[in-house]
Amino acid sequence: MTGPTVRNSGGGHHRAASSPPPVHRAAAARTTAARMARRAFRTVTTLLVTALALGALAAGIAWLAYGVRYVPVLTPSMRPGMPPGSLAVTRPLAAADIRTGQVVAFRPPEPWAPKDGRPVLHRVTGIEQYAAGRVLTTKGDANPGPDPWKIDLSGPGEYARVVAVVPHVGTVAKAAHQAGPVALGGALLGLYFLGWGARQLLPRRGGRHNRGA
Protein backbone atom coordinates (compact mmCIF):
# COMPACT_ATOMS: atom_id res chain seq x y z
CA MET A 1 0.00 0.00 0.00
CA THR A 2 1.28 3.45 -0.96
CA GLY A 3 0.39 6.88 0.36
CA PRO A 4 -1.45 9.59 -1.59
CA THR A 5 0.35 11.80 -4.13
CA VAL A 6 1.21 15.28 -2.81
CA ARG A 7 2.25 18.29 -4.91
CA ASN A 8 5.31 20.08 -3.55
CA SER A 9 6.13 23.78 -3.83
CA GLY A 10 8.30 23.24 -6.94
CA GLY A 11 5.47 21.79 -8.90
CA GLY A 12 6.67 18.20 -8.61
CA HIS A 13 4.94 15.28 -7.04
CA HIS A 14 6.04 12.86 -4.37
CA ARG A 15 4.52 10.03 -2.40
CA ALA A 16 3.43 10.95 1.12
CA ALA A 17 4.95 8.81 3.88
CA SER A 18 2.61 6.16 5.19
CA SER A 19 2.60 4.33 8.54
CA PRO A 20 3.35 0.59 8.58
CA PRO A 21 0.34 -1.65 8.19
CA PRO A 22 -1.12 -3.11 11.42
CA VAL A 23 0.18 -6.56 10.49
CA HIS A 24 3.75 -5.29 10.33
CA ARG A 25 3.40 -3.45 13.65
CA ALA A 26 2.12 -6.60 15.36
CA ALA A 27 5.01 -8.64 13.95
CA ALA A 28 7.50 -6.05 15.15
CA ALA A 29 5.92 -6.08 18.62
CA ARG A 30 6.13 -9.88 18.78
CA THR A 31 9.79 -9.78 17.73
CA THR A 32 10.60 -7.20 20.40
CA ALA A 33 8.77 -9.20 23.08
CA ALA A 34 10.58 -12.39 22.10
CA ARG A 35 13.94 -10.58 22.19
CA MET A 36 13.20 -9.22 25.67
CA ALA A 37 12.09 -12.64 26.91
CA ARG A 38 15.30 -14.24 25.64
CA ARG A 39 17.37 -11.52 27.30
CA ALA A 40 15.52 -11.96 30.62
CA PHE A 41 15.92 -15.75 30.46
CA ARG A 42 19.63 -15.42 29.79
CA THR A 43 20.07 -12.99 32.68
CA VAL A 44 18.17 -15.19 35.15
CA THR A 45 20.04 -18.30 34.00
CA THR A 46 23.36 -16.50 34.32
CA LEU A 47 22.55 -15.35 37.85
CA LEU A 48 21.47 -18.84 38.92
CA VAL A 49 24.55 -20.49 37.45
CA THR A 50 26.78 -17.85 39.05
CA ALA A 51 25.15 -18.43 42.46
CA LEU A 52 25.68 -22.19 42.14
CA ALA A 53 29.26 -21.61 41.05
CA LEU A 54 29.90 -19.40 44.08
CA GLY A 55 28.52 -22.13 46.34
CA ALA A 56 30.69 -24.80 44.74
CA LEU A 57 33.73 -22.55 44.95
CA ALA A 58 33.10 -21.81 48.64
CA ALA A 59 32.72 -25.53 49.38
CA GLY A 60 36.01 -26.31 47.66
CA ILE A 61 37.85 -23.52 49.48
CA ALA A 62 36.44 -24.66 52.84
CA TRP A 63 37.62 -28.22 52.08
CA LEU A 64 41.13 -27.18 51.14
CA ALA A 65 41.78 -24.33 53.59
CA TYR A 66 39.77 -25.07 56.74
CA GLY A 67 39.58 -28.85 56.94
CA VAL A 68 35.82 -28.89 56.36
CA ARG A 69 34.54 -32.29 55.29
CA TYR A 70 31.26 -33.33 53.69
CA VAL A 71 29.99 -36.70 54.89
CA PRO A 72 26.96 -38.31 53.22
CA VAL A 73 24.42 -39.72 55.69
CA LEU A 74 23.66 -43.27 54.56
CA THR A 75 21.72 -44.76 57.50
CA PRO A 76 18.64 -43.69 59.51
CA SER A 77 20.40 -43.89 62.91
CA MET A 78 20.46 -40.09 63.35
CA ARG A 79 16.87 -39.31 62.40
CA PRO A 80 15.12 -36.93 62.47
CA GLY A 81 17.91 -34.35 62.39
CA MET A 82 20.10 -36.22 59.89
CA PRO A 83 17.96 -38.45 57.66
CA PRO A 84 19.48 -40.68 54.97
CA GLY A 85 20.39 -38.72 51.85
CA SER A 86 21.44 -35.59 53.73
CA LEU A 87 24.97 -34.25 53.86
CA ALA A 88 26.76 -33.56 57.15
CA VAL A 89 29.26 -30.69 57.18
CA THR A 90 32.04 -31.31 59.72
CA ARG A 91 35.06 -29.45 61.07
CA PRO A 92 38.11 -30.98 62.77
CA LEU A 93 37.74 -31.40 66.53
CA ALA A 94 40.55 -32.10 68.99
CA ALA A 95 39.96 -35.03 71.35
CA ALA A 96 40.32 -32.70 74.33
CA ASP A 97 37.47 -30.51 73.03
CA ILE A 98 34.86 -33.26 72.72
CA ARG A 99 31.84 -32.65 74.96
CA THR A 100 28.66 -34.52 75.83
CA GLY A 101 25.83 -33.72 73.44
CA GLN A 102 28.01 -33.04 70.40
CA VAL A 103 27.44 -34.99 67.19
CA VAL A 104 30.88 -36.27 66.29
CA ALA A 105 32.36 -38.01 63.25
CA PHE A 106 34.70 -40.85 64.23
CA ARG A 107 35.78 -44.34 63.24
CA PRO A 108 34.69 -47.05 65.67
CA PRO A 109 37.12 -49.75 66.80
CA GLU A 110 37.13 -53.17 65.21
CA PRO A 111 35.02 -55.12 64.49
CA TRP A 112 32.47 -52.32 64.12
CA ALA A 113 34.41 -50.04 61.78
CA PRO A 114 32.70 -49.67 58.36
CA LYS A 115 34.52 -51.61 55.66
CA ASP A 116 34.64 -48.63 53.29
CA GLY A 117 36.45 -46.47 55.86
CA ARG A 118 33.71 -43.87 56.18
CA PRO A 119 33.20 -42.29 59.63
CA VAL A 120 30.21 -42.83 61.89
CA LEU A 121 28.14 -39.77 62.82
CA HIS A 122 26.72 -40.28 66.32
CA ARG A 123 26.05 -38.19 69.41
CA VAL A 124 28.31 -38.27 72.47
CA THR A 125 26.10 -39.37 75.39
CA GLY A 126 28.72 -39.94 78.06
CA ILE A 127 32.36 -39.28 78.91
CA GLU A 128 34.21 -41.35 81.51
CA GLN A 129 37.49 -40.17 82.95
CA TYR A 130 40.21 -42.71 83.70
CA ALA A 131 43.85 -42.42 84.66
CA ALA A 132 44.85 -43.30 81.11
CA GLY A 133 42.44 -40.81 79.54
CA ARG A 134 38.82 -40.27 78.60
CA VAL A 135 36.42 -42.82 77.09
CA LEU A 136 33.33 -41.88 75.10
CA THR A 137 29.92 -43.47 74.92
CA THR A 138 28.01 -42.70 71.72
CA LYS A 139 24.52 -43.30 70.41
CA GLY A 140 22.46 -42.69 67.30
CA ASP A 141 19.50 -40.43 68.07
CA ALA A 142 17.07 -42.91 66.49
CA ASN A 143 18.65 -46.02 68.06
CA PRO A 144 17.02 -47.54 71.17
CA GLY A 145 20.30 -47.95 73.05
CA PRO A 146 23.94 -46.84 73.13
CA ASP A 147 26.51 -48.06 70.61
CA PRO A 148 28.24 -51.37 71.47
CA TRP A 149 31.69 -49.79 71.41
CA LYS A 150 33.65 -47.39 73.59
CA ILE A 151 35.88 -44.69 72.07
CA ASP A 152 39.21 -44.38 73.83
CA LEU A 153 40.43 -40.84 73.33
CA SER A 154 43.92 -41.65 74.57
CA GLY A 155 44.64 -43.67 71.42
CA PRO A 156 45.19 -42.41 67.88
CA GLY A 157 42.14 -41.15 66.08
CA GLU A 158 40.66 -38.31 64.06
CA TYR A 159 37.50 -36.55 65.18
CA ALA A 160 35.24 -33.92 63.68
CA ARG A 161 32.15 -32.10 64.87
CA VAL A 162 29.01 -31.84 62.76
CA VAL A 163 28.34 -28.11 62.30
CA ALA A 164 25.60 -28.22 59.65
CA VAL A 165 23.31 -30.62 57.82
CA VAL A 166 22.21 -30.07 54.22
CA PRO A 167 19.13 -32.13 53.26
CA HIS A 168 19.05 -34.28 50.11
CA VAL A 169 22.56 -33.32 48.95
CA GLY A 170 24.13 -36.50 50.33
CA THR A 171 22.65 -38.54 47.49
CA VAL A 172 25.16 -36.88 45.17
CA ALA A 173 28.05 -38.62 46.91
CA LYS A 174 27.21 -42.23 47.81
CA ALA A 175 30.28 -42.83 49.96
CA ALA A 176 32.29 -40.60 52.24
CA HIS A 177 35.52 -40.99 50.28
CA GLN A 178 33.83 -39.41 47.25
CA ALA A 179 33.16 -36.12 49.03
CA GLY A 180 36.72 -34.85 48.60
CA PRO A 181 36.83 -35.15 44.81
CA VAL A 182 33.31 -33.74 44.64
CA ALA A 183 34.37 -30.64 46.61
CA LEU A 184 37.56 -30.16 44.58
CA GLY A 185 35.72 -30.69 41.32
CA GLY A 186 33.05 -28.27 42.51
CA ALA A 187 35.68 -25.61 43.13
CA LEU A 188 37.13 -25.99 39.64
CA LEU A 189 33.67 -26.07 38.08
CA GLY A 190 32.75 -23.00 40.10
CA LEU A 191 35.72 -21.07 38.75
CA TYR A 192 34.75 -22.00 35.19
CA PHE A 193 31.12 -20.93 35.56
CA LEU A 194 32.09 -17.75 37.37
CA GLY A 195 34.12 -16.77 34.33
CA TRP A 196 31.23 -17.69 32.06
CA GLY A 197 28.77 -15.70 34.15
CA ALA A 198 31.03 -12.65 34.17
CA ARG A 199 31.27 -12.75 30.37
CA GLN A 200 27.47 -12.91 30.10
CA LEU A 201 26.80 -10.03 32.47
CA LEU A 202 29.59 -7.63 31.56
CA PRO A 203 29.12 -5.43 28.48
CA ARG A 204 30.87 -6.72 25.40
CA ARG A 205 33.35 -4.66 23.45
CA GLY A 206 33.02 -4.35 19.69
CA GLY A 207 29.39 -5.38 19.52
CA ARG A 208 27.29 -5.82 16.45
CA HIS A 209 26.99 -2.09 15.81
CA ASN A 210 30.78 -1.66 15.66
CA ARG A 211 31.59 -4.54 13.34
CA GLY A 212 31.05 -2.54 10.20
CA ALA A 213 33.20 0.39 11.34
Side-chain angles (χ1 to χ4, degrees), residues 139-172:
K139 176 184 177 297
D141 288 353
N143 292 344
D147 296 325
W149 56 73
K150 298 286 187 177
I151 305 299
D152 186 359
L153 295 181
S154 62
E158 295 182 0
Y159 307 97
R161 182 182 179 184
V162 176
V163 296
V165 178
V166 185
H168 311 302
V169 181
T171 54
V172 176

Short mmCIF file of all heavy atoms in Angstrom, two decimals, residues 139-172:
data_model
loop_
_atom_site.label_atom_id
_atom_site.label_comp_id
_atom_site.label_asym_id
_atom_site.label_seq_id
_atom_site.Cartn_x
_atom_site.Cartn_y
_atom_site.Cartn_z
N LYS A 139 25.83 -42.73 70.72
CA LYS A 139 24.52 -43.30 70.41
C LYS A 139 23.92 -42.57 69.22
O LYS A 139 24.06 -41.34 69.09
CB LYS A 139 23.58 -43.18 71.61
CG LYS A 139 22.15 -43.65 71.39
CD LYS A 139 21.30 -43.39 72.62
CE LYS A 139 19.85 -43.80 72.39
NZ LYS A 139 19.21 -42.99 71.31
N GLY A 140 23.25 -43.30 68.35
CA GLY A 140 22.46 -42.69 67.30
C GLY A 140 21.14 -42.20 67.89
O GLY A 140 20.51 -42.89 68.70
N ASP A 141 20.71 -41.01 67.49
CA ASP A 141 19.50 -40.43 68.07
C ASP A 141 18.28 -41.33 67.88
O ASP A 141 17.38 -41.35 68.73
CB ASP A 141 19.23 -39.07 67.44
CG ASP A 141 20.22 -38.01 67.91
OD1 ASP A 141 21.03 -38.32 68.81
OD2 ASP A 141 20.20 -36.88 67.37
N ALA A 142 18.22 -42.06 66.78
CA ALA A 142 17.07 -42.91 66.49
C ALA A 142 17.24 -44.34 67.02
O ALA A 142 16.30 -45.13 66.93
CB ALA A 142 16.81 -42.95 64.99
N ASN A 143 18.41 -44.66 67.55
CA ASN A 143 18.65 -46.02 68.06
C ASN A 143 18.09 -46.17 69.47
O ASN A 143 18.13 -45.22 70.27
CB ASN A 143 20.14 -46.34 68.04
CG ASN A 143 20.69 -46.45 66.63
OD1 ASN A 143 19.92 -46.58 65.67
ND2 ASN A 143 22.00 -46.38 66.50
N PRO A 144 17.61 -47.36 69.84
CA PRO A 144 17.02 -47.54 71.17
C PRO A 144 18.04 -47.55 72.30
O PRO A 144 17.70 -47.25 73.44
CB PRO A 144 16.32 -48.90 71.06
CG PRO A 144 17.05 -49.62 69.96
CD PRO A 144 17.46 -48.56 68.99
N GLY A 145 19.29 -47.88 72.00
CA GLY A 145 20.30 -47.95 73.05
C GLY A 145 21.63 -47.42 72.58
O GLY A 145 21.81 -47.07 71.41
N PRO A 146 22.62 -47.36 73.49
CA PRO A 146 23.94 -46.84 73.13
C PRO A 146 24.67 -47.77 72.17
O PRO A 146 24.32 -48.96 72.01
CB PRO A 146 24.66 -46.74 74.48
CG PRO A 146 23.98 -47.75 75.35
CD PRO A 146 22.55 -47.76 74.91
N ASP A 147 25.71 -47.25 71.52
CA ASP A 147 26.51 -48.06 70.61
C ASP A 147 27.26 -49.14 71.39
O ASP A 147 27.59 -48.96 72.58
CB ASP A 147 27.50 -47.17 69.86
CG ASP A 147 26.79 -46.15 68.97
OD1 ASP A 147 25.73 -46.49 68.42
OD2 ASP A 147 27.31 -45.03 68.83
N PRO A 148 27.57 -50.27 70.76
CA PRO A 148 28.24 -51.37 71.47
C PRO A 148 29.71 -51.12 71.76
O PRO A 148 30.34 -51.91 72.46
CB PRO A 148 28.06 -52.54 70.51
CG PRO A 148 27.95 -51.93 69.15
CD PRO A 148 27.23 -50.62 69.36
N TRP A 149 30.27 -50.06 71.24
CA TRP A 149 31.69 -49.79 71.41
C TRP A 149 31.93 -48.65 72.40
O TRP A 149 31.02 -47.91 72.76
CB TRP A 149 32.33 -49.43 70.07
CG TRP A 149 31.65 -48.28 69.40
CD1 TRP A 149 31.70 -46.96 69.74
CD2 TRP A 149 30.78 -48.34 68.26
NE1 TRP A 149 30.93 -46.18 68.91
CE2 TRP A 149 30.36 -47.01 67.98
CE3 TRP A 149 30.32 -49.38 67.45
CZ2 TRP A 149 29.50 -46.71 66.94
CZ3 TRP A 149 29.47 -49.06 66.42
CH2 TRP A 149 29.06 -47.75 66.15
N LYS A 150 33.17 -48.52 72.81
CA LYS A 150 33.65 -47.39 73.59
C LYS A 150 34.80 -46.75 72.80
O LYS A 150 35.62 -47.45 72.22
CB LYS A 150 34.15 -47.82 74.96
CG LYS A 150 33.08 -48.45 75.85
CD LYS A 150 32.13 -47.40 76.39
CE LYS A 150 31.16 -48.00 77.40
NZ LYS A 150 30.26 -47.00 77.99
N ILE A 151 34.85 -45.42 72.80
CA ILE A 151 35.88 -44.69 72.07
C ILE A 151 36.92 -44.20 73.06
O ILE A 151 36.64 -43.35 73.91
CB ILE A 151 35.28 -43.50 71.29
CG1 ILE A 151 34.15 -43.97 70.37
CG2 ILE A 151 36.37 -42.80 70.49
CD1 ILE A 151 34.58 -44.96 69.33
N ASP A 152 38.11 -44.77 72.96
CA ASP A 152 39.21 -44.38 73.83
C ASP A 152 39.95 -43.19 73.22
O ASP A 152 40.60 -43.32 72.19
CB ASP A 152 40.17 -45.56 74.02
CG ASP A 152 41.27 -45.28 75.04
OD1 ASP A 152 41.29 -44.15 75.59
OD2 ASP A 152 42.10 -46.18 75.27
N LEU A 153 39.82 -42.04 73.87
CA LEU A 153 40.43 -40.84 73.33
C LEU A 153 41.93 -40.78 73.55
O LEU A 153 42.60 -39.90 72.98
CB LEU A 153 39.78 -39.60 73.96
CG LEU A 153 38.30 -39.38 73.64
CD1 LEU A 153 37.80 -38.11 74.30
CD2 LEU A 153 38.05 -39.34 72.14
N SER A 154 42.47 -41.67 74.35
CA SER A 154 43.92 -41.65 74.57
C SER A 154 44.68 -42.28 73.40
O SER A 154 45.88 -42.06 73.26
CB SER A 154 44.27 -42.40 75.86
OG SER A 154 43.89 -43.77 75.76
N GLY A 155 44.00 -43.05 72.57
CA GLY A 155 44.64 -43.67 71.42
C GLY A 155 44.60 -42.77 70.21
O GLY A 155 44.04 -41.66 70.23
N PRO A 156 45.21 -43.21 69.11
CA PRO A 156 45.19 -42.41 67.88
C PRO A 156 43.78 -42.37 67.29
O PRO A 156 43.02 -43.34 67.40
CB PRO A 156 46.16 -43.16 66.96
CG PRO A 156 46.14 -44.57 67.46
CD PRO A 156 45.94 -44.49 68.94
N GLY A 157 43.46 -41.28 66.69
CA GLY A 157 42.14 -41.15 66.08
C GLY A 157 41.91 -39.72 65.59
O GLY A 157 42.50 -38.77 66.10
N GLU A 158 41.05 -39.61 64.60
CA GLU A 158 40.66 -38.31 64.06
C GLU A 158 39.18 -38.09 64.35
O GLU A 158 38.35 -38.98 64.14
CB GLU A 158 40.92 -38.24 62.56
CG GLU A 158 42.39 -38.32 62.18
CD GLU A 158 42.62 -38.19 60.69
OE1 GLU A 158 41.60 -38.04 59.96
OE2 GLU A 158 43.78 -38.21 60.25
N TYR A 159 38.87 -36.87 64.80
CA TYR A 159 37.50 -36.55 65.18
C TYR A 159 37.09 -35.25 64.52
O TYR A 159 37.91 -34.38 64.25
CB TYR A 159 37.38 -36.45 66.71
CG TYR A 159 37.91 -37.66 67.43
CD1 TYR A 159 39.22 -37.66 67.94
CD2 TYR A 159 37.14 -38.79 67.57
CE1 TYR A 159 39.72 -38.78 68.58
CE2 TYR A 159 37.64 -39.92 68.21
CZ TYR A 159 38.94 -39.90 68.71
OH TYR A 159 39.44 -41.01 69.32
N ALA A 160 35.79 -35.14 64.27
CA ALA A 160 35.24 -33.92 63.68
C ALA A 160 33.86 -33.71 64.25
O ALA A 160 33.15 -34.66 64.58
CB ALA A 160 35.20 -34.01 62.16
N ARG A 161 33.48 -32.45 64.36
CA ARG A 161 32.15 -32.10 64.87
C ARG A 161 31.24 -31.72 63.73
O ARG A 161 31.63 -30.98 62.82
CB ARG A 161 32.26 -30.94 65.86
CG ARG A 161 30.92 -30.55 66.48
CD ARG A 161 31.07 -29.37 67.42
NE ARG A 161 29.79 -29.00 68.00
CZ ARG A 161 29.59 -27.96 68.80
NH1 ARG A 161 30.62 -27.19 69.13
NH2 ARG A 161 28.39 -27.70 69.27
N VAL A 162 30.00 -32.21 63.77
CA VAL A 162 29.01 -31.84 62.76
C VAL A 162 28.52 -30.42 63.06
O VAL A 162 28.00 -30.15 64.14
CB VAL A 162 27.83 -32.82 62.76
CG1 VAL A 162 26.76 -32.38 61.76
CG2 VAL A 162 28.32 -34.23 62.40
N VAL A 163 28.72 -29.52 62.11
CA VAL A 163 28.34 -28.11 62.30
C VAL A 163 27.13 -27.71 61.47
O VAL A 163 26.53 -26.66 61.71
CB VAL A 163 29.53 -27.19 61.96
CG1 VAL A 163 30.67 -27.43 62.94
CG2 VAL A 163 30.01 -27.40 60.52
N ALA A 164 26.76 -28.54 60.49
CA ALA A 164 25.60 -28.22 59.65
C ALA A 164 25.15 -29.49 58.95
O ALA A 164 25.93 -30.43 58.75
CB ALA A 164 25.92 -27.14 58.63
N VAL A 165 23.88 -29.51 58.56
CA VAL A 165 23.31 -30.62 57.82
C VAL A 165 22.55 -30.06 56.64
O VAL A 165 21.68 -29.19 56.81
CB VAL A 165 22.38 -31.49 58.70
CG1 VAL A 165 21.77 -32.62 57.87
CG2 VAL A 165 23.13 -32.05 59.90
N VAL A 166 22.88 -30.53 55.45
CA VAL A 166 22.21 -30.07 54.22
C VAL A 166 21.33 -31.21 53.72
O VAL A 166 21.83 -32.28 53.37
CB VAL A 166 23.23 -29.68 53.14
CG1 VAL A 166 22.52 -29.10 51.92
CG2 VAL A 166 24.25 -28.69 53.69
N PRO A 167 20.01 -31.03 53.69
CA PRO A 167 19.13 -32.13 53.26
C PRO A 167 19.27 -32.45 51.78
O PRO A 167 19.53 -31.57 50.96
CB PRO A 167 17.73 -31.59 53.58
CG PRO A 167 17.88 -30.10 53.58
CD PRO A 167 19.27 -29.83 54.07
N HIS A 168 19.13 -33.74 51.48
CA HIS A 168 19.05 -34.28 50.11
C HIS A 168 20.36 -34.24 49.33
O HIS A 168 20.48 -34.94 48.32
CB HIS A 168 17.98 -33.54 49.29
CG HIS A 168 16.66 -33.42 49.97
ND1 HIS A 168 15.94 -34.52 50.41
CD2 HIS A 168 15.93 -32.33 50.34
CE1 HIS A 168 14.82 -34.12 50.98
NE2 HIS A 168 14.80 -32.79 50.96
N VAL A 169 21.33 -33.46 49.75
CA VAL A 169 22.56 -33.32 48.95
C VAL A 169 23.44 -34.55 49.08
O VAL A 169 24.26 -34.83 48.21
CB VAL A 169 23.32 -32.05 49.38
CG1 VAL A 169 24.58 -31.85 48.56
CG2 VAL A 169 22.43 -30.84 49.23
N GLY A 170 23.28 -35.33 50.14
CA GLY A 170 24.13 -36.50 50.33
C GLY A 170 23.96 -37.57 49.28
O GLY A 170 24.83 -38.41 49.10
N THR A 171 22.85 -37.55 48.55
CA THR A 171 22.65 -38.54 47.49
C THR A 171 23.61 -38.33 46.32
O THR A 171 23.80 -39.24 45.52
CB THR A 171 21.21 -38.48 46.98
OG1 THR A 171 20.91 -37.13 46.58
CG2 THR A 171 20.24 -38.88 48.07
N VAL A 172 24.21 -37.14 46.24
CA VAL A 172 25.16 -36.88 45.17
C VAL A 172 26.42 -37.72 45.36
O VAL A 172 27.00 -38.24 44.40
CB VAL A 172 25.50 -35.38 45.10
CG1 VAL A 172 26.56 -35.11 44.04
CG2 VAL A 172 24.24 -34.57 44.81
#
